[in-house]
Amino acid sequence: MTNTYAIVLAAGQGTRMKSDLYKVLHPVCGKPMVEHVIDHIRSLNANRIVTIVGYGAEAVEEVLGEKSEYALQKEQLGTAHAVQQAEQLIGDLEGTTIVVCGDTPLIRPETMEALIAHHDKTSAKATILTAYADDPTGYGRIIRGEDGQVLRNVEQKDATEEEQKVTEINTGTYCFNNRALFETLKKVKNDNAQGEYYLPDVVGILQSENERVSAYVTEDFSETLGVNDRVVLSEAESVMRRRIAEKHMRNGVTIIHPDATYISADATIGRDTVLQPGTMIEGQTVIGEKCIIGPNSQLVNSVIGDNTTIYSSVILSSQIGNDTNVGPFAHIRPDSNVGNHVKIGNFVEVKKSTLGEGSKVSHLSYIGDSNVGSRVNVGCGTITVNYDGKNKYTTTIEDDAFIGCNSNLVAPVTVKQGAYVAAGSTITENVPENSLAIGRARQENKEDYVKKLNLK
Ligand code: UD1
Ligand code: CA
């Protein structure tokens, strides 16, 4: 097998985005577009991946980390010049090199694979991935000879009126014989409308030297969207959203309204789970089987078990067990671990806390920095008082404890196993096992007092 290398172009500023964020870092379905490209390439098992960075180099390297090697393009003199920066890393290797733009996040790994296979099969020196566009404006056009042979690419700004009518476009993805690529790059000139060194000129130069060049046409134009501005960014978002939703539906997930459901590229969802409209599944979230999520739930980097319902709630960087009900209108903040058969009801906020099997916090509570055991009942309106204005403290509620409504548990404090706290108590001292703590003013009834005040 021939070795394969990949070069990803990500040095441009992306002026047309009109943004402080570098173009290739704009997210599509929650993931920076260049990371989509890199993840697709990684799934092809390329021997080396080099990302060309320039504008925002540090930010791009921080996002991609170890997933790629990097070559710096100090000045953005064009796509050919960008590729040239990889020469010191891979210039003298034998093999096939795929070049992909960092702003084309929709090209699927299957298409890249087919392009490489086509390239290797035809023994071409260069193969360009093309597509037919209804509106080719802005893209490079593929100029073919009378026999259909690819001759060259012409950029929009350099094209004659006749050439502008061509609807076959350059997707910005190519395969090259690696040695031939770096040899030919030296011959690319910048005598064009933009004064730039154009990578697609390599194809024309090789052709004029009687080397074999070819094109591989992809059927699906939407795959090739190059995100140059925010209008196309939103198109890319909706294509990707649809694609992700279809993948899950084919795997057995019911999505009531796919266009109103937002699932990140890296989420995992089990069979027979139902996603209701308005739901956002973000980051590396994992959802088990037979869950009901939504309507209007937001889950970020969280793990949900099986048979669990998350009803109109927000779950951030937390774990929720099996057969558990959350919501409506609950807020589970980071680092929480909610066990199996738990009930968390409306207007409950949980932060950095654990709740054991079968426990219930059904209404209007704040549980922060707490360890709650199993089969605990936390009454309506209970607050763990975890903050003194400077430090945070832990509340521990052991197994089978019962906390009456409207109690304050002033941390650090422990309610031991099986203990009861009377409703309306403010608990400042530990409560021993199986005892009842009452921490409230005793009620006094003043008979006929109302009459004395002459109120009636
Ligand atoms: C490019 C192609 C065009 C093709 C289109 C597909 C050229 C000259 N034109 O045009 O034929 O139809 O992509 O989307 O290649 N970049 C660098 N360094 C540079 C210039 C660009 O790294 O000096 C990177 C950009 O960050 C971007 C990619 O290369 O990720 C493409 O550059 P862009 O300016 O978007 O090219 P297009 O005008 O879209
Ligand atoms: Ca582009």
Side-chain angles (χ1 to χ4, degrees):
M1 249 201 54
T2 41
N3 282 343
T4 50
Y5 315 106
I7 299 174
V8 177
L9 305 184
Q13 186 183 15
T15 324
R16 290 165 279 183
M17 295 297 280
K18 305 214 168 104
S19 175
D20 289 341
L21 184 64
Y22 305 105
K23 174 164 83 172
V24 296
L25 294 183
H26 275 264
V28 173
C29 291
K31 179 152 109 178
M33 53 180 134
V34 67
E35 200 176 359
H36 282 286
V37 173
I38 294 282
D39 287 349
H40 294 335
I41 291 171
R42 279 160 60 88
S43 75
L44 306 175
N45 295 319
N47 299 70
R48 304 271 294 264
I49 302 174
V50 181
T51 302
I52 311 299
V53 290
Y55 273 99
E58 277 175 24
V60 174
E61 288 182 33
E62 201 183 311
V63 165
L64 298 178
E66 309 263 288
K67 290 182 177 178
S68 174
E69 302 174 61
Y70 302 94
L72 184 67
Q73 185 193 24
K74 290 201 190 89
E75 266 187 293
Q76 280 61 54
L77 304 179
T79 45
H81 178 256
V83 172
Q84 233 167 357
Q85 310 311 308
E87 184 166 15
Q88 49 182 5
L89 291 173
I90 59 168
D92 48 9
L93 302 178
E94 294 291 341
T96 298
T97 298
I98 181 167
V99 179
V100 189
C101 293
D103 64 351
T104 54
L106 294 165
I107 296 181
R108 292 179 305 131
E110 292 83 351
T111 305
M112 295 183 190
E113 218 160 29
L115 170 71
I116 296 169
H118 181 86
H119 175 84
D120 289 344
K121 198 175 72 197
T122 56
S123 320
K125 285 279 169 13
T127 307
I128 190 161
L129 181 71
T130 72
Y132 287 92
D134 294 338
D135 175 12
T137 313
Y139 291 92
R141 311 294 209 283
I142 304 301
I143 308 302
R144 290 180 182 256
E146 278 172 5
D147 53 357
Q149 166 64 35
V150 174
L151 298 179
R152 62 196 169 88
N153 167 80
V154 59
E155 288 301 296
Q156 166 89 25
K157 288 183 179 151
D158 302 297
T160 62
E161 235 169 77
E162 205 53 35
E163 287 168 335
Q164 287 191 14
K165 288 186 191 140
V166 173
T167 56
E168 188 182 7
I169 59 108
N170 168 19
T171 64
T173 300
Y174 321 75
C175 262
F176 297 100
N177 171 294
N178 191 57
R179 287 284 186 89
L181 169 64
F182 287 102
E183 279 311 305
T184 315
L185 280 172
K186 298 187 174 81
K187 302 173 191 165
V188 173
K189 298 203 168 61
N190 65 348
D191 49 357
N192 51 50
Q194 303 188 83
E196 284 186 8
Y197 296 91
Y198 293 161
L199 176 61
D201 282 1
V202 168
V203 177
I205 294 170
L206 285 168
Q207 209 282 330
S208 68
E209 292 174 348
N210 291 321
E211 297 288 0
R212 186 193 292 267
V213 302
S214 78
Y216 179 78
V217 187
T218 162
E219 302 279 302
D220 179 4
F221 174 74
S222 69
E223 256 194 78
T224 72
L225 280 182
V227 178
N228 293 330
D229 61 30
R230 299 205 199 213
V231 175
V232 185
L233 179 68
S234 81
E235 283 171 38
E237 177 87 24
S238 73
V239 172
M240 178 89 72
R241 180 163 67 235
R242 184 78 211 180
R243 198 190 278 176
I244 292 169
E246 276 178 19
K247 176 186 85 180
H248 290 293
M249 291 189 280
R250 293 198 197 288
N251 284 339
V253 177
T254 294
I255 304 178
I256 307 283
H257 189 348
D259 287 337
T261 307
Y262 307 83
I263 309 172
S264 79
D266 298 327
T268 308
I269 309 173
R271 276 167 67 122
D272 289 321
T273 282
V274 178
L275 303 185
Q276 296 175 333
T279 290
M280 303 187 78
I281 315 273
E282 299 178 39
Q284 313 276 335
T285 294
V286 178
I287 301 173
E289 299 186 353
K290 299 186 172 66
C291 291
I292 300 174
I293 315 286
N296 301 317
S297 288
Q298 183 186 23
L299 280 58
V300 184
N301 291 323
S302 293
V303 178
I304 316 293
D306 297 329
N307 284 311
T308 283
T309 300
I310 312 286
Y311 183 26
S312 295
S313 292
V314 176
I315 317 267
L316 309 174
S317 304
S318 290
Q319 288 199 41
I320 312 286
N322 304 322
D323 304 290
T324 283
N325 285 299
V326 176
F329 318 122
H331 184 187
I332 312 295
R333 291 171 52 201
D335 300 323
S336 295
N337 192 337
V338 176
N340 302 331
H341 298 281
V342 169
K343 179 174 184 334
I344 293 179
N346 40 202
F347 308 109
V348 171
E349 176 176 335
V350 175
K351 187 214 90 176
K352 208 175 175 184
S353 295
T354 57
L355 282 108
E357 171 123 16
S359 288
K360 294 189 172 85
V361 189
S362 297
H363 345 256
L364 299 152
S365 283
Y366 173 62
I367 305 295
D369 303 304
S370 301
N371 300 314
V372 179
S374 299
R375 299 170 304 278
V376 168
N377 188 89
V378 176
C380 176
T382 296
I383 307 292
T384 56
V385 184
N386 63 330
Y387 187 46
D388 63 4
K390 200 165 169 206
N391 296 306
K392 302 272 165 81
Y393 300 95
T394 304
T395 300
T396 302
I397 307 174
E398 293 187 356
D399 295 349
D400 301 297
F402 183 98
I403 313 296
C405 290
N406 216 35
S407 296
N408 299 310
L409 306 175
V410 182
V413 75
T414 297
V415 178
K416 291 282 209 181
Q417 203 171 328
Y420 270 51
V421 168
S425 293
T426 292
I427 299 298
T428 53
E429 282 163 40
N430 293 348
V431 182
E433 246 177 74
N434 296 319
S435 40
L436 169 68
I438 310 176
R440 65 187 182 211
R442 216 172 239 291
Q443 180 173 333
E444 201 183 327
N445 292 340
K446 305 205 174 195
E447 287 192 13
D448 290 330
Y449 195 79
V450 177
K451 279 188 197 147
K452 255 191 244 165
L453 287 177
N454 270 332
L455 291 172
K456 277 197 178 158

